[in-house]
Amino acid sequence: MDNSTIEQSVHILNSCDDTATKASKASENDPTEEEASGAADKSIVKLTKAERRAKLKKSKKEAKKQGKEAEPEVEQTPQEAVLAEVKEDLTAEEAFESKKNKLAELGIALLADPTSNTKSLKEILQICKDNNHAIVKLGLLSLLAVFKDLIPGYRIRLPTEKELEMKVSKDVKKMRFYESTLLSVYKAYLQKLAALEKQSSFQHVAFRCICTLLDAAPHFNYRESLLGVVIRNIGSPDDVIRKLCCSTIKSLFTNEGKHGGEATVEAVRLIADHVKAHNCQLHPDSVEVFLSLSFDEDLGRAARNDEKHKPQSKKSKKKKHYEEARQLKENDKKRSRQELLTKTREEVAADYKAVAFTPDVMERRGMQTEALSAVFETYFRILKHTMHSSTSRSEANASLSTGASEPHPLLAPCLKGLGKFSHLIDMDFMGDLINYLKKLASGGSDSENTSKCLTVSERFRCSIVAFTVMKSNLDALNVDLQDFFVQLYNIILEYRPGRDQGEVLAEALKMMLCEDRQHDMQKAAAFVKRLATFSLCSGSAESMAALVTLKHLLLKNVKCRNLLENDAGGGSVSGSVAKYHPYASDPNLSGALASVLWELNLLTQHYHPAVSSMASSISSMNAATNQVYLSTISPQQAFTDFSLERPESFKPPSEVTLLYQLG
């Protein structure tokens, strides 16, 4: 075989190897399965490069499509699902820990050096915008703690444009930057809280921050915004929010040294406007906060004493200035020295007044007068609203005769406040107040519908307040309270245990009967007979309060002890009315002196041993004894001692029983 033949054979073998190599590479790149190996080999050999690329792309798209369709069908094992969930929790927990540590670092840096780390305030505020609710709450509470420590004891006043143009030292610039940054972040923080307090998930945290800031720094900037939010929610249906707001307002009233009384006046005025806007339909706590107010009665005296030492007219002022000027002209040195001293004293007084929350007597008196006027304006508005709403409702329901009464939520705290501040009421309004109370508590024909729309306890409270006002202004007022006695005489029989408040009944008996200075025999006998009848159909606590009052009346009115006699014709003293009228509405016309206390005989068989012992003690009183001594036990104490539903209340110790017997 010659060399040329060998070379040709080698060339053919090499070409076959190249073809096989290309075919194998093409088959590796093609992910699709071939339907027939021979046909596939022929097609691969015949396709061009462009056709092979297009076919390869098409096959890849189909493979991806098939993979996506097959993905949902692939079920993850329980172990893999648990591992994935644990990984997510670990990642979230790590992020939470890192942000929490960041908040701690920023807070510590701020408290260590506030002026150098002022920008940390903005960073904490930025963290409060996180999507994680827990991080947001931590950020809000962190800023609250920081602001409580950083807020200065004065209101920040930003410099004016002229002041900014002046050249100042580096320390002044640094302080200005710190104060402006603190104030701007504080404002943004309050805006953030105002936005979050409307979201249910952040309400409690937001109100906690708002109330704490107002309580800790009532003197600082934006106090009006904080007060507005708190007063708007002082009657919130949410117990937590309402208690937070009420406790904050009470703290403002009791700690006036923090703000000098200015916040008190603003809060009282806002509450008065809030009550007016809601037409007196609020939670009782909204007005009950007024009971935490305290007024200095010596301010008026001090002001009057100061006015005595001051000139009373412009003429005297001019004369005084003229004499001072003449004396100063005589000695220039003395004049210059006097002017310098006066100027220095004025500057010192102005600086002291700016930094101290202790206004002078005149300012303090003015603020107290404004607060008092707002309080009594609110109280009188509640009384008027109660009268008008009760009358209108009773007229609307007159044909139905349902007996349902419209609730008056603010009446009870209003009456409590009137009783507490009765000695501060202006005498010009005292007559109107007594008339309002008389219309609310009276059962006469003119206001019969009104009284039916009030509860028994509310009508009792009206009478109690009227007697409290009279007791506080005994020397200045001369008002007949007979209508209140008539109302008490009739409403005693309307009392129902369990429905009405027994402590209010006991207070009314103590205030109106035990502490009454007038000794009218007919009236006292009528109440003795009515209380004995009441004791037959009441609980043990109410019966004890009534019997204690009954015994007090018999001890104070000796002639009324004739009711204990058991003559055939009744009592030996009949008075102006010869016959007893049990259904008379006026105690003076009942003729109770002609009756006998037969109820005591039944009460001696009472199921409660204390009531039985008290009835026996009253029955054994001697009518001939002229010695007058009063009981040391009040109706309120008697009601409290026997109102507890305990087993031992039915078997009191012998010493307690003896104490009630002896009175």
Side-chain angles (χ1 to χ4, degrees):
M1 193 178 285
D2 58 358
N3 294 331
S4 60
T5 304
I6 294 171
E7 290 177 358
Q8 289 177 358
S9 301
V10 171
H11 181 70
I12 291 170
L13 291 171
N14 290 335
S15 62
C16 290
D17 292 338
D18 293 339
T19 304
T21 303
K22 291 177 180 179
S24 64
K25 289 181 178 180
S27 64
E28 290 175 0
N29 293 331
D30 191 0
T32 61
E33 297 181 352
E34 300 173 352
E35 296 177 358
S37 60
D41 292 339
K42 291 178 182 179
S43 64
I44 290 173
V45 173
K46 291 179 181 180
L47 289 175
T48 61
K49 289 183 179 180
E51 291 174 346
R52 288 198 301 270
R53 288 174 184 171
K55 189 175 181 181
L56 183 62
K57 288 182 180 179
K58 187 176 180 181
S59 62
K60 287 182 177 180
K61 288 182 180 179
E62 291 177 357
K64 287 182 179 179
K65 198 173 185 181
Q66 292 176 0
K68 288 182 179 179
E69 292 175 355
E71 243 179 347
E73 297 177 0
V74 177
E75 294 185 1
Q76 200 174 22
T77 61
Q79 293 82 0
E80 292 177 351
V82 171
L83 288 173
E85 187 176 353
V86 169
K87 287 181 180 179
E88 291 180 1
D89 291 342
L90 288 175
T91 306
E93 187 176 354
E94 289 176 359
F96 179 79
E97 289 295 329
S98 63
K99 291 178 181 178
K100 189 168 68 172
N101 294 334
K102 182 67 174 176
L103 285 172
E105 292 174 2
L106 293 173
I108 292 172
L110 271 169
L111 296 178
D113 190 0
T115 55
S116 301
N117 300 291
T118 313
K119 295 182 180 179
S120 299
L121 286 170
K122 296 182 179 179
E123 295 182 22
I124 299 178
L125 187 62
Q126 188 65 29
I127 294 176
C128 293
K129 300 178 182 179
D130 196 88
N131 295 327
N132 191 344
H133 287 189
I135 291 295
V136 174
K137 292 179 181 179
L138 283 177
L140 294 175
L141 294 175
S142 300
L143 271 178
L144 172 65
V146 169
F147 278 126
K148 283 180 65 178
D149 288 337
L150 295 187
I151 288 177
Y154 55 89
R155 293 176 68 93
I156 294 179
R157 185 187 66 84
L158 297 178
T160 60
E161 295 181 358
K162 292 183 178 180
E163 292 176 345
L164 291 174
E165 294 175 357
M166 299 172 59
K167 292 183 179 181
V168 293
S169 62
K170 293 182 179 180
D171 294 337
V172 175
K173 287 183 179 179
K174 189 176 182 181
M175 181 56 66
R176 284 181 177 178
F177 175 75
Y178 166 72
E179 290 183 346
S180 62
T181 306
L182 177 66
L183 195 58
S184 62
V185 177
Y186 184 71
K187 182 179 180 181
Y189 178 60
L190 296 185
Q191 292 174 348
K192 180 73 174 176
L193 292 175
L196 292 178
E197 59 99 1
K198 300 176 183 178
Q199 302 179 17
S200 58
S201 56
F202 294 103
Q203 270 189 341
H204 290 177
V205 176
F207 274 103
R208 178 183 173 186
C209 296
I210 291 172
C211 293
T212 305
L213 282 176
L214 182 59
D215 186 22
H219 63 280
F220 196 57
N221 303 59
Y222 308 116
R223 176 183 65 202
E224 297 80 8
S225 302
L226 293 173
L227 266 177
V229 175
V230 172
I231 298 300
R232 281 199 307 271
N233 295 274
I234 199 172
S236 173
D238 192 316
D239 293 340
V240 176
I241 296 175
R242 186 180 66 253
K243 289 179 181 178
L244 273 174
C245 295
C246 291
S247 61
T248 303
I249 297 300
K250 290 179 182 178
S251 178
L252 286 180
F253 292 163
T254 55
N255 301 313
E256 292 189 345
K258 294 181 178 180
H259 49 81
E262 295 179 358
T264 298
V265 178
E266 294 176 8
V268 171
R269 176 51 60 187
L270 286 174
I271 293 174
D273 296 339
H274 189 59
V275 172
K276 180 180 179 181
H278 287 78
N279 199 23
C280 302
Q281 297 300 313
L282 290 170
H283 195 277
D285 292 347
S286 305
V287 177
E288 197 170 359
V289 294
F290 285 160
L291 298 177
S292 300
L293 288 168
S294 59
F295 299 100
D296 190 0
E297 301 178 16
D298 297 331
L299 285 177
R301 301 173 187 173
R304 286 191 293 269
N305 293 334
D306 292 340
E307 290 176 357
K308 289 181 181 179
H309 299 288
K310 291 182 180 180
Q312 299 295 327
S313 62
K314 295 182 179 179
K315 205 172 195 182
S316 58
K317 287 183 179 179
K318 290 181 179 180
K319 185 177 180 181
K320 184 177 180 181
H321 287 307
Y322 176 75
E323 293 178 354
E324 289 180 355
R326 187 180 62 181
Q327 292 177 359
L328 290 174
K329 286 180 181 179
E330 296 177 356
N331 195 340
D332 295 338
K333 293 183 180 181
K334 183 184 288 187
R335 182 182 60 184
S336 60
R337 183 181 178 184
Q338 188 71 21
E339 289 177 354
L340 182 62
L341 286 173
T342 304
K343 186 177 180 181
T344 305
R345 287 172 181 170
E346 290 177 355
E347 292 177 354
V348 171
D351 294 340
Y352 177 76
K353 185 178 178 181
V355 299
F357 298 112
T358 54
D360 57 16
V361 175
M362 295 302 295
E363 290 183 0
R364 175 67 178 150
R365 185 188 180 193
M367 289 189 292
Q368 177 172 288
T369 303
E370 186 176 354
L372 264 177
S373 63
V375 169
F376 286 121
E377 175 187 341
T378 304
Y379 286 160
F380 275 82
R381 175 174 286 109
I382 294 171
L383 292 178
K384 288 181 179 179
H385 176 268
T386 303
M387 291 172 54
H388 295 159
S389 62
S390 299
T391 304
S392 60
R393 183 172 176 83
S394 60
E395 291 175 355
N397 295 335
S399 59
L400 300 177
S401 301
T402 57
S405 61
E406 181 183 0
H408 307 285
L410 300 183
L411 181 60
C414 167
L415 295 175
K416 288 182 182 178
L418 287 172
K420 180 178 180 180
F421 304 121
S422 59
H423 61 287
L424 299 173
I425 301 176
D426 193 349
M427 296 303 300
D428 297 335
F429 303 102
M430 197 73 69
D432 295 335
L433 175 61
I434 297 297
N435 290 331
Y436 289 153
L437 295 173
K438 188 181 297 183
K439 289 179 181 179
L440 290 173
S442 174
S445 58
D446 294 338
S447 58
E448 184 176 359
N449 293 330
T450 303
S451 63
K452 288 182 180 179
C453 289
L454 295 180
T455 65
V456 172
S457 301
E458 288 172 343
R459 295 164 68 187
F460 273 136
R461 288 190 183 278
C462 292
S463 301
I464 292 170
V465 172
F467 273 77
T468 304
V469 171
M470 289 296 298
K471 187 177 180 181
S472 302
N473 304 274
L474 190 61
D475 298 333
L477 286 178
N478 186 16
V479 180
D480 186 14
L481 299 177
Q482 180 61 29
D483 292 339
F484 293 99
F485 284 108
V486 172
Q487 172 60 11
L488 177 64
Y489 182 75
N490 290 281
I491 203 175
I492 283 177
L493 295 182
E494 299 180 24
Y495 177 88
R496 297 294 179 270
R499 183 196 67 180
D500 303 316
Q501 300 176 9
E503 59 273 11
V504 180
L505 167 67
E507 185 180 358
L509 295 177
K510 176 179 178 294
M511 178 72 68
M512 301 178 66
L513 297 180
C514 295
E515 297 181 357
D516 183 27
R517 297 182 180 180
Q518 299 177 0
H519 303 286
D520 184 80
M521 188 169 55
Q522 286 283 0
K523 182 178 68 177
F527 275 104
V528 166
K529 185 67 176 177
R530 180 57 54 91
L531 290 174
T533 307
F534 171 76
S535 300
L536 289 174
C537 54
S538 300
S540 58
E542 290 83 357
S543 297
M544 284 301 301
L547 290 177
V548 167
T549 308
L550 186 153
K551 186 174 183 179
H552 181 92
L553 292 174
L554 290 178
L555 291 173
K556 190 166 58 174
N557 299 275
V558 180
K559 293 184 179 180
C560 291
R561 299 178 198 172
N562 293 301
L563 295 173
L564 299 173
E565 298 179 0
N566 193 13
D567 295 341
S572 59
V573 181
S574 61
S576 58
V577 183
K579 186 179 179 181
Y580 175 55
H581 301 283
Y583 300 106
S585 59
D586 192 341
N588 293 316
L589 302 178
S590 64
L593 286 172
S595 65
V596 177
L597 290 178
W598 56 265
E599 295 88 352
L600 293 177
N601 189 24
L602 293 176
L603 288 172
T604 55
Q605 308 299 323
H606 198 273
Y607 68 91
H608 199 290
V611 176
S612 175
S613 300
M614 176 62 77
S616 300
S617 174
I618 297 174
S619 300
S620 61
M621 293 178 64
N622 188 0
T625 305
N626 293 328
Q627 183 180 0
V628 178
Y629 60 94
L630 302 181
S631 175
T632 58
I633 301 171
S634 66
Q636 293 170 303
Q637 182 181 351
F639 178 83
T640 304
D641 291 343
F642 295 94
S643 62
L644 302 178
E645 295 297 335
R646 299 179 302 179
E648 56 266 23
S649 65
F650 288 92
K651 295 180 180 179
S654 58
E655 296 180 358
V656 176
T657 305
L658 181 60
L659 179 63
Y660 275 91
Q661 290 176 353
L662 298 177

